[in-house]
Amino acid sequence: MKFFIDVALDLLKNNEVQAIIGPETSSQANFVIDLGDQAKVPIISFSATSPSLSSAQTPYFVRASLSDSSQVKAIASIVKAFRWKEVVVIYENTDYGTGIVPYLVDAFTAIETRVPYRSVLSPIATDDRILSELYKLMTMQTRVFVVHMSYSLASRFFLKAKDVGMMNKEYAWIITNGLSDQLNSMDASVVHSMQGVLCVEPYVPMSDKLKNFNIKWSQKFHKENPDMEMATLNIFGLWAYDTVWALALAAEKVGAENTHFQHPQVVEELTDLSTLGISTIGPKLLKTILETKFTGLSGEFSLDGQLQSSAFRVLNVIGGGGREIGFWTPRNGILRKLNAADTKFYSPSNSNLGAIVWPGNSMNVPKGWVIPTNGKKLKIGVPIKEGFTEFVKVEKDPTTNAPVVTGYCIDVFNAAIGELPYDLPHEFIPFTSSGTYWTNLSLFLL
């Protein structure tokens, strides 16, 4: 981390730059933006997405990207649509990882969904540490997981999750935008381990400007890298391009006059920070950047503190990447088609999503909750008696000699169990009229 501080300090002190684009990560930005505030030089980042970074606290920090908090309502809406009542949040122990957690928990609380456990992993966690945490998660009842971590950790995490059988039926996984934007550039083995995962990403409308750029980008890439397969430019690449344009437009408007630093009087034994000058045009440049608005590759680009998004795409990881299954907007909730957003009603229904292939190549929606493998089954006492067999009837299977329980009461019970938002393992225990056995049973069907 010291490297990034030294680079930024060198740029400000020795080169007297009037703006810095970067740093790349939220953790790096956390150290550098204080220098920008001190020198009154805008620090513009298109990839530092942690909500913990705020222009309210550090006014010379400009986020040229969406805050991670912008996606939490979209994720919560998906959880609500499938009636999942418990979710485990899995994240890395960095500024990027922890910043979103309070917003996720608040969004889940608003839809009456509990977060019974938060799984935290170091970005340099060993494979054994990852496996230990996965085994711990397997012993819990919750089967819905929201994952928010960098690709370097997530790639190892999902490979191990597949190895231990957690990418099979009954499991539901949702990844945040930071990972979904990299699906097209991920290693094939990692994408294969994530089959059935759901994810959200900001919606970028296709435009003539974006089409033309993609053509030029493809031609340039293949010319310079004829033996390499080109990865699609993701949202961060588009934000980077638009950020450079925004700064160029603002700098052109401000002009190049009086672009110098004011320096404090030289005093012996001053530190590098205390000798850092102050930009004379910094305040004006910052104001101009925040007022700059134009239509860029990523859509309407306005840096009033940070970007805003009017919609998110909902994707299902199938094959080599993410397949679009719907959209989410703040006004209309979940939509199958974005151009169908004429309704005035907010919909959290999963019926508005396209067909989903869940982990384990299943087409059935995971219930989100199961009795752990070491859990006990619910025992249901069924009386063996003459008469009223249309309500409860106990017979023996001629092949296995196991009891076969049928009847109207059994049908009603099975229908009620099927409506629960989780699995409930159970078994029917036939018994005679002896009252001594009744006390050992969990439930009676009379």
Side-chain angles (χ1 to χ4, degrees), residues 84-381:
W84 294 323
K85 294 302 181 182
E86 290 189 350
V87 173
V88 167
V89 179
I90 308 172
Y91 58 99
E92 68 175 45
N93 190 20
T94 61
D95 291 331
Y96 166 73
T98 59
I100 195 177
V101 175
Y103 297 89
L104 274 175
V105 173
D106 286 347
F108 291 142
T109 300
I111 62 171
E112 299 182 348
T113 293
R114 294 180 60 245
V115 181
Y117 180 68
R118 305 179 193 184
S119 177
V120 189
L121 288 169
S122 166
I124 57 173
T126 64
D127 287 351
D128 287 343
R129 175 68 184 89
I130 294 174
L131 284 172
S132 175
E133 188 64 16
L134 288 170
Y135 286 132
K136 182 177 182 180
L137 294 174
M138 291 178 71
T139 66
M140 299 178 182
Q141 297 177 340
T142 309
R143 287 294 181 266
V144 182
F145 307 101
V146 173
V147 179
H148 178 70
M149 56 181 65
S150 59
Y151 173 66
S152 58
L153 177 60
S155 58
R156 295 189 295 123
F157 178 86
F158 277 104
L159 286 170
K160 294 301 178 186
K162 182 174 178 59
D163 287 344
V164 300
M166 292 184 69
M167 301 305 297
N168 295 332
K169 295 179 181 179
E170 297 183 346
Y171 288 91
W173 296 84
I174 303 175
I175 58 174
T176 56
N177 172 50
L179 285 174
S180 59
D181 280 326
Q182 300 185 59
L183 280 174
N184 291 329
S185 58
M186 287 183 180
D187 186 89
S189 63
V190 177
V191 178
H192 180 69
S193 72
M194 298 171 65
Q195 298 295 293
V197 169
L198 298 183
C199 48
V200 297
E201 68 175 21
Y203 169 66
V204 177
M206 183 54 68
S207 62
D208 290 339
K209 181 181 292 188
L210 182 55
K211 288 180 182 178
N212 293 333
F213 177 83
N214 285 334
I215 292 173
K216 293 179 181 178
W217 171 265
S218 177
Q219 292 173 345
K220 180 178 176 61
F221 184 91
H222 286 302
K223 182 179 180 180
E224 297 177 355
N225 307 277
D227 298 326
M228 291 180 62
E229 181 178 352
M230 188 189 77
T232 305
L233 199 64
N234 63 20
I235 186 64
F236 292 102
L238 301 183
W239 284 337
Y241 186 92
D242 289 343
T243 297
V244 174
W245 267 107
L247 180 57
L249 291 172
E252 184 179 40
K253 188 173 182 180
V254 170
E257 296 181 4
N258 299 321
T259 57
H260 64 275
F261 276 39
Q262 293 178 341
H263 293 274
Q265 293 183 346
V266 178
V267 180
E268 291 184 3
E269 297 183 357
L270 286 179
T271 64
D272 285 342
L273 290 179
S274 61
T275 59
L276 191 63
I278 297 176
S279 171
T280 56
I281 68 165
K284 184 178 180 180
L285 180 60
L286 174 65
K287 183 175 184 294
T288 306
I289 291 172
L290 297 179
E291 293 175 348
T292 299
K293 299 180 181 180
F294 63 99
T295 301
L297 297 182
S298 60
E300 295 302 318
F301 199 80
S302 174
L303 296 178
D304 188 13
Q306 64 185 34
L307 292 182
Q308 303 295 327
S309 177
S310 59
F312 281 87
R313 298 171 71 209
V314 183
L315 308 176
N316 183 201
V317 180
I318 302 174
R323 185 189 69 182
E324 181 181 288
I325 57 173
F327 297 86
W328 179 90
T329 69
R331 179 182 178 184
N332 297 306
I334 294 176
L335 301 166
R336 182 65 189 94
K337 297 290 185 181
L338 197 58
N339 57 12
D342 298 328
T343 176
K344 295 181 180 180
F345 300 101
Y346 186 93
S347 173
S349 173
N350 64 52
S351 62
N352 287 351
L353 293 174
I356 299 174
V357 178
W358 299 94
N361 203 33
S362 172
M363 301 302 294
N364 298 322
V365 178
K367 291 186 176 181
W369 189 100
V370 297
I371 295 291
T373 55
N374 60 352
K376 295 182 179 180
K377 289 185 178 181
L378 176 66
K379 296 181 180 180
I380 302 141

